[in-house]
Amino acid sequence: MRSPAGEKGQYKYNFVLNFNSGKAHLLPFCPEDPFARKLYDGFSPVMLAFLIKQPQDLLILFAGTGKDMIEAYSYSNGQAHITGVELNPLMVRKALEMPEFHLKEFFDKGNVQMVVQEGRSFFEQSSQTYDAIILSWSGATPANYMGVSSYTGQYLYTKEAMKAYLRKLNPGGVVGLVHGSSRLLATIKAAFEDLGYPDAQQHIVEMVKRSVLETGSDQKDIWDPFQARDFLIKNTPFTAEQMSAMSPSISEMGLEVVLSPFYVHPRYAIDRLILRHPDIEKLMNDLSKKNAMDLTLMTDDKPYIYNQFRFNGINLKGLREVWAGKSLLSVLSEYSLQEVMFAFIFIFISGSFLLIMAPLFWIKRFSVTFADAKWLAYFALLGLGYMFAEISILQRFTFFLGNPVYAFSVVLAGLLVSSGIGSASSSLLFRENVLSIPKAAVLVTGVLILYYLILDKIIAACLGSPFFGRLGLSVLFIFPLGWLLGMLFPQGLKKINTQRPHLIPWAWAFNGYMSIVGSLISIYLCFVTGINAYFLIAAGLYFALVFLKIK
């Protein structure tokens, strides 16, 4: 897609893939004049790498189709070794198929390397250190902001990722981040603290577009995750001489420093408070409560950089306004997209529950007893527990395998196969009294708690392993859990068929209904609990089966 020409008569080319699921800026490489682009002529994320000195080894994450790499090549006069990492292979492949952009010729250069891989797994596998690491524009879409799609790019902004960047920097090296926020700043500070740096403020410079400062638009919502703030981070303190030397270049880019070791803009006093506060986790928790949004630190367990949704209870004010005659559209416009989605999810769950329960009580030949309720609860708990167990595994291995497609394929196939084997073998184990429903429920609970305790640590330790090693380890973890999960449903059906056969249709209905409820709740519950807590939630649901005393 070609957008209108800019001031210099040059067209800007944008890549949009899969109905807006991926975006990138395209930049032609000119073999006849490869160094035509001049440093600090406007603003580009990769310019942050050149503010202090010219880097020799430069890593660009979210490399897209190579725009930042082409610019870095020009700015360094072809001297820097440039590595770009991009997750989306379709984007890179399609760009290479467009000969008029000469990208194949550019990527074939000896000091240029385009890697198609998830950023964190590449970073953990690489033993190389860098003079500069740049996190460019991520190209994330509204689905990512809402939290309804798997977006591995968010794992590049967590506390664990920031610590990894600082460890991989050469002395005096820099990390450049664009489109930052105060929440990201707090996460960066926490990373410095974990690595034992005494004063994070000495290592961070924050910049904002001058036009934004002049209009005051940066203060409309100080916590907006999409504010155009840029961070430059060093593993050694910034000196006064470096700040003076950078100042003209920063000005040429149309930026202004709002926070440095030597200065803070009055409107950014909150960022100075963040950098100076002795307990950053407590401060961000307090600010979350005060502002009714999630401003907590971003970690691999809660990596949601763009989504700040915080559940603050059910507000019926909108319903009362609609009942009083106010239009539905005008009421909905007063709420965030996440709040509207949460309301629709709540309505769907409630309405579906009534549609399932009403026939059960209205059909006269049924009289629902406590024994009936016990069986319905059993299948409801199975549906909800299985879904939380599945989603917890899926979320963890999306990060571990580095690609949502791989994770869905491996996790779903692994769980279906292992659950099928568990279902097939359950008859023998239950018939020989090796297992019973309470024993199987306890075993599932124990495995889920074990995964809660160790899986994160194993993933962190093995993230840098080769892909097929991570794939094999994923299958190894999925199989025992799926094998146990597959036993409880068929054995429950056998028992209900002999004791309460009239409830079989409702057993299926409750199980399916609660599976859907679990998938809907999980979209936003992870913002509150974190991903790893799903193992504990699933463990609690399966352990509740013991108290039903089904034999």
Side-chain angles (χ1 to χ4, degrees), residues 17 19 29 65 102 140 213-215 228 264 272 277 289 303 331-332 401 406 416 435 478 503 542:
L17 292 180
F19 299 99
F29 175 69
T65 55
H102 302 284
L213 278 177
E214 290 171 352
T215 60
V264 61
R272 179 172 59 181
H277 200 277
K289 295 175 183 176
V331 170
L332 291 178
L401 296 176
Y406 297 156
L416 287 173
L435 283 178
I478 291 168
L503 287 179
Y542 275 98

mmCIF file with all atom_site columns, all heavy atoms in Angstrom, residues 17 19 29 65 102 140 213-215 228 264 272 277 289 303 331-332 401 406 416 435 478 503 542:
data_model
loop_
_atom_site.group_PDB
_atom_site.id
_atom_site.type_symbol
_atom_site.label_atom_id
_atom_site.label_alt_id
_atom_site.label_comp_id
_atom_site.label_asym_id
_atom_site.label_entity_id
_atom_site.label_seq_id
_atom_site.pdbx_PDB_ins_code
_atom_site.Cartn_x
_atom_site.Cartn_y
_atom_site.Cartn_z
_atom_site.occupancy
_atom_site.B_iso_or_equiv
_atom_site.pdbx_formal_charge
_atom_site.auth_seq_id
_atom_site.auth_comp_id
_atom_site.auth_asym_id
_atom_site.auth_atom_id
_atom_site.pdbx_PDB_model_num
ATOM 1   N N   . LEU A 1 17  ? -0.809  -7.023  6.382  1.00 0.00 ? 17  LEU A N   1
ATOM 2   C CA  . LEU A 1 17  ? -1.024  -8.436  6.122  1.00 0.00 ? 17  LEU A CA  1
ATOM 3   C C   . LEU A 1 17  ? -2.219  -8.972  6.896  1.00 0.00 ? 17  LEU A C   1
ATOM 4   O O   . LEU A 1 17  ? -2.483  -8.541  8.015  1.00 0.00 ? 17  LEU A O   1
ATOM 5   C CB  . LEU A 1 17  ? 0.216   -9.248  6.516  1.00 0.00 ? 17  LEU A CB  1
ATOM 6   C CG  . LEU A 1 17  ? 1.485   -9.041  5.681  1.00 0.00 ? 17  LEU A CG  1
ATOM 7   C CD1 . LEU A 1 17  ? 2.584   -9.928  6.218  1.00 0.00 ? 17  LEU A CD1 1
ATOM 8   C CD2 . LEU A 1 17  ? 1.240   -9.341  4.219  1.00 0.00 ? 17  LEU A CD2 1
ATOM 9   N N   . PHE A 1 19  ? -5.586  -8.898  6.901  1.00 0.00 ? 19  PHE A N   1
ATOM 10  C CA  . PHE A 1 19  ? -6.631  -8.030  7.424  1.00 0.00 ? 19  PHE A CA  1
ATOM 11  C C   . PHE A 1 19  ? -6.149  -7.271  8.666  1.00 0.00 ? 19  PHE A C   1
ATOM 12  O O   . PHE A 1 19  ? -6.773  -7.279  9.721  1.00 0.00 ? 19  PHE A O   1
ATOM 13  C CB  . PHE A 1 19  ? -7.898  -8.830  7.745  1.00 0.00 ? 19  PHE A CB  1
ATOM 14  C CG  . PHE A 1 19  ? -8.487  -9.498  6.550  1.00 0.00 ? 19  PHE A CG  1
ATOM 15  C CD1 . PHE A 1 19  ? -8.243  -10.836 6.302  1.00 0.00 ? 19  PHE A CD1 1
ATOM 16  C CD2 . PHE A 1 19  ? -9.265  -8.790  5.646  1.00 0.00 ? 19  PHE A CD2 1
ATOM 17  C CE1 . PHE A 1 19  ? -8.780  -11.459 5.181  1.00 0.00 ? 19  PHE A CE1 1
ATOM 18  C CE2 . PHE A 1 19  ? -9.798  -9.406  4.533  1.00 0.00 ? 19  PHE A CE2 1
ATOM 19  C CZ  . PHE A 1 19  ? -9.558  -10.747 4.296  1.00 0.00 ? 19  PHE A CZ  1
ATOM 20  N N   . PHE A 1 29  ? 15.850  -0.062  -0.837 1.00 0.00 ? 29  PHE A N   1
ATOM 21  C CA  . PHE A 1 29  ? 17.302  0.058   -0.726 1.00 0.00 ? 29  PHE A CA  1
ATOM 22  C C   . PHE A 1 29  ? 17.833  0.472   -2.089 1.00 0.00 ? 29  PHE A C   1
ATOM 23  O O   . PHE A 1 29  ? 17.497  -0.127  -3.109 1.00 0.00 ? 29  PHE A O   1
ATOM 24  C CB  . PHE A 1 29  ? 17.929  -1.260  -0.290 1.00 0.00 ? 29  PHE A CB  1
ATOM 25  C CG  . PHE A 1 29  ? 19.427  -1.239  -0.282 1.00 0.00 ? 29  PHE A CG  1
ATOM 26  C CD1 . PHE A 1 29  ? 20.116  -0.486  0.649  1.00 0.00 ? 29  PHE A CD1 1
ATOM 27  C CD2 . PHE A 1 29  ? 20.147  -1.971  -1.220 1.00 0.00 ? 29  PHE A CD2 1
ATOM 28  C CE1 . PHE A 1 29  ? 21.500  -0.460  0.660  1.00 0.00 ? 29  PHE A CE1 1
ATOM 29  C CE2 . PHE A 1 29  ? 21.532  -1.950  -1.218 1.00 0.00 ? 29  PHE A CE2 1
ATOM 30  C CZ  . PHE A 1 29  ? 22.203  -1.195  -0.275 1.00 0.00 ? 29  PHE A CZ  1
ATOM 31  N N   . THR A 1 65  ? 10.248  -5.274  7.672  1.00 0.00 ? 65  THR A N   1
ATOM 32  C CA  . THR A 1 65  ? 10.799  -5.573  6.347  1.00 0.00 ? 65  THR A CA  1
ATOM 33  C C   . THR A 1 65  ? 12.168  -4.933  6.141  1.00 0.00 ? 65  THR A C   1
ATOM 34  O O   . THR A 1 65  ? 12.649  -4.845  5.014  1.00 0.00 ? 65  THR A O   1
ATOM 35  C CB  . THR A 1 65  ? 9.833   -5.083  5.249  1.00 0.00 ? 65  THR A CB  1
ATOM 36  O OG1 . THR A 1 65  ? 9.560   -3.696  5.452  1.00 0.00 ? 65  THR A OG1 1
ATOM 37  C CG2 . THR A 1 65  ? 8.535   -5.873  5.288  1.00 0.00 ? 65  THR A CG2 1
ATOM 38  N N   . HIS A 1 102 ? 14.849  -3.991  -3.837 1.00 0.00 ? 102 HIS A N   1
ATOM 39  C CA  . HIS A 1 102 ? 16.247  -4.452  -3.735 1.00 0.00 ? 102 HIS A CA  1
ATOM 40  C C   . HIS A 1 102 ? 16.583  -4.977  -2.342 1.00 0.00 ? 102 HIS A C   1
ATOM 41  O O   . HIS A 1 102 ? 17.740  -4.864  -1.899 1.00 0.00 ? 102 HIS A O   1
ATOM 42  C CB  . HIS A 1 102 ? 17.216  -3.311  -4.100 1.00 0.00 ? 102 HIS A CB  1
ATOM 43  C CG  . HIS A 1 102 ? 17.001  -2.750  -5.470 1.00 0.00 ? 102 HIS A CG  1
ATOM 44  N ND1 . HIS A 1 102 ? 17.399  -3.397  -6.620 1.00 0.00 ? 102 HIS A ND1 1
ATOM 45  C CD2 . HIS A 1 102 ? 16.395  -1.601  -5.878 1.00 0.00 ? 102 HIS A CD2 1
ATOM 46  C CE1 . HIS A 1 102 ? 17.059  -2.678  -7.682 1.00 0.00 ? 102 HIS A CE1 1
ATOM 47  N NE2 . HIS A 1 102 ? 16.447  -1.584  -7.258 1.00 0.00 ? 102 HIS A NE2 1
ATOM 48  N N   . ALA A 1 140 ? 1.892   -3.627  16.418 1.00 0.00 ? 140 ALA A N   1
ATOM 49  C CA  . ALA A 1 140 ? 0.800   -4.338  17.082 1.00 0.00 ? 140 ALA A CA  1
ATOM 50  C C   . ALA A 1 140 ? -0.547  -3.761  16.665 1.00 0.00 ? 140 ALA A C   1
ATOM 51  O O   . ALA A 1 140 ? -0.666  -2.583  16.361 1.00 0.00 ? 140 ALA A O   1
ATOM 52  C CB  . ALA A 1 140 ? 0.965   -4.248  18.589 1.00 0.00 ? 140 ALA A CB  1
ATOM 53  N N   . LEU A 1 213 ? 4.961   18.298  23.427 1.00 0.00 ? 213 LEU A N   1
ATOM 54  C CA  . LEU A 1 213 ? 5.150   19.147  24.615 1.00 0.00 ? 213 LEU A CA  1
ATOM 55  C C   . LEU A 1 213 ? 4.511   20.517  24.424 1.00 0.00 ? 213 LEU A C   1
ATOM 56  O O   . LEU A 1 213 ? 3.888   21.061  25.342 1.00 0.00 ? 213 LEU A O   1
ATOM 57  C CB  . LEU A 1 213 ? 6.641   19.322  24.908 1.00 0.00 ? 213 LEU A CB  1
ATOM 58  C CG  . LEU A 1 213 ? 7.353   18.206  25.669 1.00 0.00 ? 213 LEU A CG  1
ATOM 59  C CD1 . LEU A 1 213 ? 8.835   18.533  25.798 1.00 0.00 ? 213 LEU A CD1 1
ATOM 60  C CD2 . LEU A 1 213 ? 6.744   18.018  27.041 1.00 0.00 ? 213 LEU A CD2 1
ATOM 61  N N   . GLU A 1 214 ? 4.667   21.064  23.238 1.00 0.00 ? 214 GLU A N   1
ATOM 62  C CA  . GLU A 1 214 ? 4.155   22.409  22.990 1.00 0.00 ? 214 GLU A CA  1
ATOM 63  C C   . GLU A 1 214 ? 2.631   22.461  23.030 1.00 0.00 ? 214 GLU A C   1
ATOM 64  O O   . GLU A 1 214 ? 2.048   23.440  23.498 1.00 0.00 ? 214 GLU A O   1
ATOM 65  C CB  . GLU A 1 214 ? 4.674   22.902  21.639 1.00 0.00 ? 214 GLU A CB  1
ATOM 66  C CG  . GLU A 1 214 ? 6.178   23.191  21.654 1.00 0.00 ? 214 GLU A CG  1
ATOM 67  C CD  . GLU A 1 214 ? 6.720   23.458  20.256 1.00 0.00 ? 214 GLU A CD  1
ATOM 68  O OE1 . GLU A 1 214 ? 5.955   23.262  19.277 1.00 0.00 ? 214 GLU A OE1 1
ATOM 69  O OE2 . GLU A 1 214 ? 7.897   23.866  20.147 1.00 0.00 ? 214 GLU A OE2 1
ATOM 70  N N   . THR A 1 215 ? 1.986   21.406  22.553 1.00 0.00 ? 215 THR A N   1
ATOM 71  C CA  . THR A 1 215 ? 0.519   21.390  22.553 1.00 0.00 ? 215 THR A CA  1
ATOM 72  C C   . THR A 1 215 ? -0.057  20.928  23.877 1.00 0.00 ? 215 THR A C   1
ATOM 73  O O   . THR A 1 215 ? -1.240  21.135  24.150 1.00 0.00 ? 215 THR A O   1
ATOM 74  C CB  . THR A 1 215 ? -0.008  20.468  21.433 1.00 0.00 ? 215 THR A CB  1
ATOM 75  O OG1 . THR A 1 215 ? 0.480   19.144  21.658 1.00 0.00 ? 215 THR A OG1 1
ATOM 76  C CG2 . THR A 1 215 ? 0.462   20.959  20.071 1.00 0.00 ? 215 THR A CG2 1
ATOM 77  N N   . ALA A 1 228 ? 3.980   8.923   22.834 1.00 0.00 ? 228 ALA A N   1
ATOM 78  C CA  . ALA A 1 228 ? 5.213   8.886   22.037 1.00 0.00 ? 228 ALA A CA  1
ATOM 79  C C   . ALA A 1 228 ? 6.412   9.282   22.892 1.00 0.00 ? 228 ALA A C   1
ATOM 80  O O   . ALA A 1 228 ? 7.051   10.307  22.683 1.00 0.00 ? 228 ALA A O   1
ATOM 81  C CB  . ALA A 1 228 ? 5.084   9.814   20.832 1.00 0.00 ? 228 ALA A CB  1
ATOM 82  N N   . VAL A 1 264 ? 14.662  17.154  35.105 1.00 0.00 ? 264 VAL A N   1
ATOM 83  C CA  . VAL A 1 264 ? 13.335  16.592  34.927 1.00 0.00 ? 264 VAL A CA  1
ATOM 84  C C   . VAL A 1 264 ? 12.374  17.714  34.559 1.00 0.00 ? 264 VAL A C   1
ATOM 85  O O   . VAL A 1 264 ? 12.399  18.789  35.160 1.00 0.00 ? 264 VAL A O   1
ATOM 86  C CB  . VAL A 1 264 ? 12.847  15.838  36.196 1.00 0.00 ? 264 VAL A CB  1
ATOM 87  C CG1 . VAL A 1 264 ? 12.766  16.768  37.397 1.00 0.00 ? 264 VAL A CG1 1
ATOM 88  C CG2 . VAL A 1 264 ? 11.493  15.174  35.940 1.00 0.00 ? 264 VAL A CG2 1
ATOM 89  N N   . ARG A 1 272 ? 10.072  10.971  37.729 1.00 0.00 ? 272 ARG A N   1
ATOM 90  C CA  . ARG A 1 272 ? 11.160  11.098  38.702 1.00 0.00 ? 272 ARG A CA  1
ATOM 91  C C   . ARG A 1 272 ? 10.791  10.362  39.992 1.00 0.00 ? 272 ARG A C   1
ATOM 92  O O   . ARG A 1 272 ? 11.642  9.698   40.595 1.00 0.00 ? 272 ARG A O   1
ATOM 93  C CB  . ARG A 1 272 ? 11.439  12.575  39.012 1.00 0.00 ? 272 ARG A CB  1
ATOM 94  C CG  . ARG A 1 272 ? 12.555  12.767  40.049 1.00 0.00 ? 272 ARG A CG  1
ATOM 95  C CD  . ARG A 1 272 ? 12.949  14.220  40.183 1.00 0.00 ? 272 ARG A CD  1
ATOM 96  N NE  . ARG A 1 272 ? 11.817  15.061  40.575 1.00 0.00 ? 272 ARG A NE  1
ATOM 97  C CZ  . ARG A 1 272 ? 11.899  16.372  40.741 1.00 0.00 ? 272 ARG A CZ  1
ATOM 98  N NH1 . ARG A 1 272 ? 13.052  16.995  40.535 1.00 0.00 ? 272 ARG A NH1 1
ATOM 99  N NH2 . ARG A 1 272 ? 10.834  17.066  41.086 1.00 0.00 ? 272 ARG A NH2 1
ATOM 100 N N   . HIS A 1 277 ? 11.624  6.075   43.903 1.00 0.00 ? 277 HIS A N   1
ATOM 101 C CA  . HIS A 1 277 ? 10.858  5.401   44.958 1.00 0.00 ? 277 HIS A CA  1
ATOM 102 C C   . HIS A 1 277 ? 11.578  4.139   45.426 1.00 0.00 ? 277 HIS A C   1
ATOM 103 O O   . HIS A 1 277 ? 12.061  3.350   44.605 1.00 0.00 ? 277 HIS A O   1
ATOM 104 C CB  . HIS A 1 277 ? 9.458   5.042   44.451 1.00 0.00 ? 277 HIS A CB  1
ATOM 105 C CG  . HIS A 1 277 ? 8.475   4.795   45.535 1.00 0.00 ? 277 HIS A CG  1
ATOM 106 N ND1 . HIS A 1 277 ? 8.378   3.584   46.176 1.00 0.00 ? 277 HIS A ND1 1
ATOM 107 C CD2 . HIS A 1 277 ? 7.551   5.608   46.122 1.00 0.00 ? 277 HIS A CD2 1
ATOM 108 C CE1 . HIS A 1 277 ? 7.428   3.644   47.095 1.00 0.00 ? 277 HIS A CE1 1
ATOM 109 N NE2 . HIS A 1 277 ? 6.910   4.862   47.082 1.00 0.00 ? 277 HIS A NE2 1
ATOM 110 N N   . LYS A 1 289 ? -4.445  1.257   41.818 1.00 0.00 ? 289 LYS A N   1
ATOM 111 C CA  . LYS A 1 289 ? -5.698  1.428   42.563 1.00 0.00 ? 289 LYS A CA  1
ATOM 112 C C   . LYS A 1 289 ? -6.216  2.858   42.425 1.00 0.00 ? 289 LYS A C   1
ATOM 113 O O   . LYS A 1 289 ? -7.414  3.082   42.224 1.00 0.00 ? 289 LYS A O   1
ATOM 114 C CB  . LYS A 1 289 ? -5.471  1.090   44.027 1.00 0.00 ? 289 LYS A CB  1
ATOM 115 C CG  . LYS A 1 289 ? -5.126  -0.372  44.277 1.00 0.00 ? 289 LYS A CG  1
ATOM 116 C CD  . LYS A 1 289 ? -4.794  -0.614  45.742 1.00 0.00 ? 289 LYS A CD  1
ATOM 117 C CE  . LYS A 1 289 ? -4.368  -2.063  45.973 1.00 0.00 ? 289 LYS A CE  1
ATOM 118 N NZ  . LYS A 1 289 ? -3.956  -2.298  47.376 1.00 0.00 ? 289 LYS A NZ  1
ATOM 119 N N   . PRO A 1 303 ? 2.668   -9.922  30.917 1.00 0.00 ? 303 PRO A N   1
ATOM 120 C CA  . PRO A 1 303 ? 3.432   -9.096  29.971 1.00 0.00 ? 303 PRO A CA  1
ATOM 121 C C   . PRO A 1 303 ? 2.615   -8.068  29.191 1.00 0.00 ? 303 PRO A C   1
ATOM 122 O O   . PRO A 1 303 ? 3.050   -7.615  28.137 1.00 0.00 ? 303 PRO A O   1
ATOM 123 C CB  . PRO A 1 303 ? 3.974   -10.163 29.013 1.00 0.00 ? 303 PRO A CB  1
ATOM 124 C CG  . PRO A 1 303 ? 2.867   -11.165 28.941 1.00 0.00 ? 303 PRO A CG  1
ATOM 125 C CD  . PRO A 1 303 ? 2.225   -11.191 30.304 1.00 0.00 ? 303 PRO A CD  1
ATOM 126 N N   . VAL A 1 331 ? -24.298 5.618   25.515 1.00 0.00 ? 331 VAL A N   1
ATOM 127 C CA  . VAL A 1 331 ? -23.871 5.015   26.788 1.00 0.00 ? 331 VAL A CA  1
ATOM 128 C C   . VAL A 1 331 ? -22.580 4.235   26.590 1.00 0.00 ? 331 VAL A C   1
ATOM 129 O O   . VAL A 1 331 ? -21.639 4.354   27.378 1.00 0.00 ? 331 VAL A O   1
ATOM 130 C CB  . VAL A 1 331 ? -24.978 4.101   27.354 1.00 0.00 ? 331 VAL A CB  1
ATOM 131 C CG1 . VAL A 1 331 ? -24.447 3.298   28.538 1.00 0.00 ? 331 VAL A CG1 1
ATOM 132 C CG2 . VAL A 1 331 ? -26.177 4.927   27.776 1.00 0.00 ? 331 VAL A CG2 1
ATOM 133 N N   . LEU A 1 332 ? -22.520 3.444   25.516 1.00 0.00 ? 332 LEU A N   1
ATOM 134 C CA  . LEU A 1 332 ? -21.324 2.634   25.273 1.00 0.00 ? 332 LEU A CA  1
ATOM 135 C C   . LEU A 1 332 ? -20.087 3.498   25.031 1.00 0.00 ? 332 LEU A C   1
ATOM 136 O O   . LEU A 1 332 ? -18.976 3.104   25.369 1.00 0.00 ? 332 LEU A O   1
ATOM 137 C CB  . LEU A 1 332 ? -21.545 1.716   24.072 1.00 0.00 ? 332 LEU A CB  1
ATOM 138 C CG  . LEU A 1 332 ? -22.550 0.581   24.258 1.00 0.00 ? 332 LEU A CG  1
ATOM 139 C CD1 . LEU A 1 332 ? -22.703 -0.214  22.968 1.00 0.00 ? 332 LEU A CD1 1
ATOM 140 C CD2 . LEU A 1 332 ? -22.138 -0.339  25.401 1.00 0.00 ? 332 LEU A CD2 1
ATOM 141 N N   . LEU A 1 401 ? 7.787   -21.549 22.844 1.00 0.00 ? 401 LEU A N   1
ATOM 142 C CA  . LEU A 1 401 ? 8.058   -21.934 21.465 1.00 0.00 ? 401 LEU A CA  1
ATOM 143 C C   . LEU A 1 401 ? 8.227   -20.733 20.546 1.00 0.00 ? 401 LEU A C   1
ATOM 144 O O   . LEU A 1 401 ? 8.726   -20.859 19.431 1.00 0.00 ? 401 LEU A O   1
ATOM 145 C CB  . LEU A 1 401 ? 6.941   -22.843 20.939 1.00 0.00 ? 401 LEU A CB  1
ATOM 146 C CG  . LEU A 1 401 ? 6.811   -24.187 21.662 1.00 0.00 ? 401 LEU A CG  1
ATOM 147 C CD1 . LEU A 1 401 ? 5.607   -24.961 21.137 1.00 0.00 ? 401 LEU A CD1 1
ATOM 148 C CD2 . LEU A 1 401 ? 8.074   -25.015 21.491 1.00 0.00 ? 401 LEU A CD2 1
ATOM 149 N N   . TYR A 1 406 ? 2.821   -22.400 16.337 1.00 0.00 ? 406 TYR A N   1
ATOM 150 C CA  . TYR A 1 406 ? 3.483   -23.598 16.851 1.00 0.00 ? 406 TYR A CA  1
ATOM 151 C C   . TYR A 1 406 ? 2.846   -24.028 18.171 1.00 0.00 ? 406 TYR A C   1
ATOM 152 O O   . TYR A 1 406 ? 2.625   -25.220 18.415 1.00 0.00 ? 406 TYR A O   1
ATOM 153 C CB  . TYR A 1 406 ? 4.972   -23.339 17.071 1.00 0.00 ? 406 TYR A CB  1
ATOM 154 C CG  . TYR A 1 406 ? 5.751   -22.998 15.829 1.00 0.00 ? 406 TYR A CG  1
ATOM 155 C CD1 . TYR A 1 406 ? 6.943   -22.278 15.901 1.00 0.00 ? 406 TYR A CD1 1
ATOM 156 C CD2 . TYR A 1 406 ? 5.306   -23.395 14.568 1.00 0.00 ? 406 TYR A CD2 1
ATOM 157 C CE1 . TYR A 1 406 ? 7.666   -21.960 14.764 1.00 0.00 ? 406 TYR A CE1 1
ATOM 158 C CE2 . TYR A 1 406 ? 6.024   -23.082 13.427 1.00 0.00 ? 406 TYR A CE2 1
ATOM 159 C CZ  . TYR A 1 406 ? 7.207   -22.358 13.533 1.00 0.00 ? 406 TYR A CZ  1
ATOM 160 O OH  . TYR A 1 406 ? 7.909   -22.047 12.416 1.00 0.00 ? 406 TYR A OH  1
ATOM 161 N N   . LEU A 1 416 ? -4.923  -33.391 22.997 1.00 0.00 ? 416 LEU A N   1
ATOM 162 C CA  . LEU A 1 416 ? -5.936  -34.284 22.439 1.00 0.00 ? 416 LEU A CA  1
ATOM 163 C C   . LEU A 1 416 ? -5.432  -35.730 22.377 1.00 0.00 ? 416 LEU A C   1
ATOM 164 O O   . LEU A 1 416 ? -6.152  -36.673 22.742 1.00 0.00 ? 416 LEU A O   1
ATOM 165 C CB  . LEU A 1 416 ? -6.339  -33.804 21.041 1.00 0.00 ? 416 LEU A CB  1
ATOM 166 C CG  . LEU A 1 416 ? -7.200  -32.537 20.982 1.00 0.00 ? 416 LEU A CG  1
ATOM 167 C CD1 . LEU A 1 416 ? -7.389  -32.080 19.547 1.00 0.00 ? 416 LEU A CD1 1
ATOM 168 C CD2 . LEU A 1 416 ? -8.552  -32.767 21.643 1.00 0.00 ? 416 LEU A CD2 1
ATOM 169 N N   . LEU A 1 435 ? -7.032  -46.808 40.124 1.00 0.00 ? 435 LEU A N   1
ATOM 170 C CA  . LEU A 1 435 ? -7.460  -45.420 40.243 1.00 0.00 ? 435 LEU A CA  1
ATOM 171 C C   . LEU A 1 435 ? -8.958  -45.373 40.517 1.00 0.00 ? 435 LEU A C   1
ATOM 172 O O   . LEU A 1 435 ? -9.703  -46.306 40.202 1.00 0.00 ? 435 LEU A O   1
ATOM 173 C CB  . LEU A 1 435 ? -7.160  -44.640 38.958 1.00 0.00 ? 435 LEU A CB  1
ATOM 174 C CG  . LEU A 1 435 ? -5.721  -44.202 38.704 1.00 0.00 ? 435 LEU A CG  1
ATOM 175 C CD1 . LEU A 1 435 ? -5.617  -43.498 37.367 1.00 0.00 ? 435 LEU A CD1 1
ATOM 176 C CD2 . LEU A 1 435 ? -5.195  -43.297 39.815 1.00 0.00 ? 435 LEU A CD2 1
ATOM 177 N N   . ILE A 1 478 ? 3.400   -31.789 28.350 1.00 0.00 ? 478 ILE A N   1
ATOM 178 C CA  . ILE A 1 478 ? 1.975   -31.864 28.016 1.00 0.00 ? 478 ILE A CA  1
ATOM 179 C C   . ILE A 1 478 ? 1.421   -33.262 28.258 1.00 0.00 ? 478 ILE A C   1
ATOM 180 O O   . ILE A 1 478 ? 0.295   -33.416 28.756 1.00 0.00 ? 478 ILE A O   1
ATOM 181 C CB  . ILE A 1 478 ? 1.761   -31.446 26.548 1.00 0.00 ? 478 ILE A CB  1
ATOM 182 C CG1 . ILE A 1 478 ? 2.028   -29.948 26.383 1.00 0.00 ? 478 ILE A CG1 1
ATOM 183 C CG2 . ILE A 1 478 ? 0.343   -31.769 26.084 1.00 0.00 ? 478 ILE A CG2 1
ATOM 184 C CD1 . ILE A 1 478 ? 2.128   -29.502 24.934 1.00 0.00 ? 478 ILE A CD1 1
ATOM 185 N N   . LEU A 1 503 ? -29.690 -37.771 33.201 1.00 0.00 ? 503 LEU A N   1
ATOM 186 C CA  . LEU A 1 503 ? -28.923 -36.520 33.269 1.00 0.00 ? 503 LEU A CA  1
ATOM 187 C C   . LEU A 1 503 ? -27.810 -36.440 32.231 1.00 0.00 ? 503 LEU A C   1
ATOM 188 O O   . LEU A 1 503 ? -27.098 -35.432 32.165 1.00 0.00 ? 503 LEU A O   1
ATOM 189 C CB  . LEU A 1 503 ? -28.306 -36.366 34.667 1.00 0.00 ? 503 LEU A CB  1
ATOM 190 C CG  . LEU A 1 503 ? -29.256 -36.012 35.814 1.00 0.00 ? 503 LEU A CG  1
ATOM 191 C CD1 . LEU A 1 503 ? -28.491 -35.929 37.126 1.00 0.00 ? 503 LEU A CD1 1
ATOM 192 C CD2 . LEU A 1 503 ? -29.988 -34.703 35.543 1.00 0.00 ? 503 LEU A CD2 1
ATOM 193 N N   . TYR A 1 542 ? -10.154 -28.976 40.098 1.00 0.00 ? 542 TYR A N   1
ATOM 194 C CA  . TYR A 1 542 ? -10.074 -30.438 40.084 1.00 0.00 ? 542 TYR A CA  1
ATOM 195 C C   . TYR A 1 542 ? -10.092 -31.017 41.504 1.00 0.00 ? 542 TYR A C   1
ATOM 196 O O   . TYR A 1 542 ? -10.670 -32.091 41.731 1.00 0.00 ? 542 TYR A O   1
ATOM 197 C CB  . TYR A 1 542 ? -8.824  -30.895 39.332 1.00 0.00 ? 542 TYR A CB  1
ATOM 198 C CG  . TYR A 1 542 ? -9.046  -30.977 37.841 1.00 0.00 ? 542 TYR A CG  1
ATOM 199 C CD1 . TYR A 1 542 ? -8.656  -29.942 37.000 1.00 0.00 ? 542 TYR A CD1 1
ATOM 200 C CD2 . TYR A 1 542 ? -9.676  -32.081 37.280 1.00 0.00 ? 542 TYR A CD2 1
ATOM 201 C CE1 . TYR A 1 542 ? -8.879  -30.004 35.636 1.00 0.00 ? 542 TYR A CE1 1
ATOM 202 C CE2 . TYR A 1 542 ? -9.914  -32.155 35.913 1.00 0.00 ? 542 TYR A CE2 1
ATOM 203 C CZ  . TYR A 1 542 ? -9.511  -31.115 35.089 1.00 0.00 ? 542 TYR A CZ  1
ATOM 204 O OH  . TYR A 1 542 ? -9.750  -31.176 33.739 1.00 0.00 ? 542 TYR A OH  1
#
